[in-house]
Amino acid sequence: MIAFALLSVWATRRGEPREAQPDPPFYADFSLTDQRGNLRTDEDFAGRWMLVFFGFANCPDICPTTLVEVSLILKELGGDADKVQPLFISVDPERDTIDALANYLPNFDEKILGLTGTVEQIDKTAKSFRIYYEKLEEPSTPAGYTMAHSSQLFLFDRSGGFVTSYSYGTPAEEVALDLEKRMRQ
């Protein structure tokens, strides 16, 4: 009798249409300090496109390569570069102090804004952007550790909504063309 009742309920529910539940919107969400000592939030960049990269100043390869690419993207955009705010968010708050970022980022482009904060602020930001990062022991490095992290470049629209991400190594010209196309829509 119980099995018959369960089968009846299951058959009834099985036939009911169900709406697909879309993923919740993904918006830039942060409150961090820039390399000039100013508290910055995602709301500070309303009305501008954001190119966001997570990394660390002591990175030997991926981070400097990506920052060079961001600089090239800005050059490719020409006058439209003013519509874009590139952000470098540190995943190494122990070493990436305000001064460290202020010394590091001008090597790439003066428009790139570096952001850092407490370990808790970086954790919260990483979760909101859905990125991975982890401190790894590395005895051969001066501080004895390195940082593993997601390496994509995120694009957010003028309202802070996620648009797309570009995988590490995507040529600057390709990103710039895609961004120009999206800015004109």
Side-chain angles (χ1 to χ4, degrees), residues 65-161:
T65 301
T66 301
L67 290 169
V68 166
E69 291 290 322
V70 169
S71 179
L72 293 171
I73 291 165
L74 295 173
K75 285 181 177 73
E76 288 282 327
L77 291 173
D80 285 338
D82 291 337
K83 299 175 185 173
V84 178
Q85 178 59 63
L87 300 173
F88 175 79
I89 300 177
S90 173
V91 295
D92 187 7
E94 289 179 47
R95 294 184 289 195
D96 287 349
T97 62
I98 294 166
D99 290 339
L101 291 178
N103 289 324
Y104 179 66
L105 292 171
N107 294 312
F108 303 99
D109 195 292
E110 65 186 30
K111 293 178 184 171
I112 300 172
L113 190 63
L115 299 172
T116 190
T118 65
V119 171
E120 293 79 17
Q121 287 173 309
I122 299 301
D123 282 344
K124 182 180 177 187
T125 302
K127 284 179 183 142
S128 79
F129 280 82
R130 303 174 187 164
I131 66 116
Y132 155 82
Y133 80 99
E134 178 182 10
K135 183 177 180 179
L136 300 174
E137 299 299 319
E138 183 63 48
S140 64
T141 62
Y145 74 92
T146 189
M147 301 299 293
H149 61 89
S150 300
S151 61
Q152 67 269 42
L153 184 61
F154 293 97
L155 176 63
F156 290 86
D157 64 20
R158 291 179 295 270
S159 63

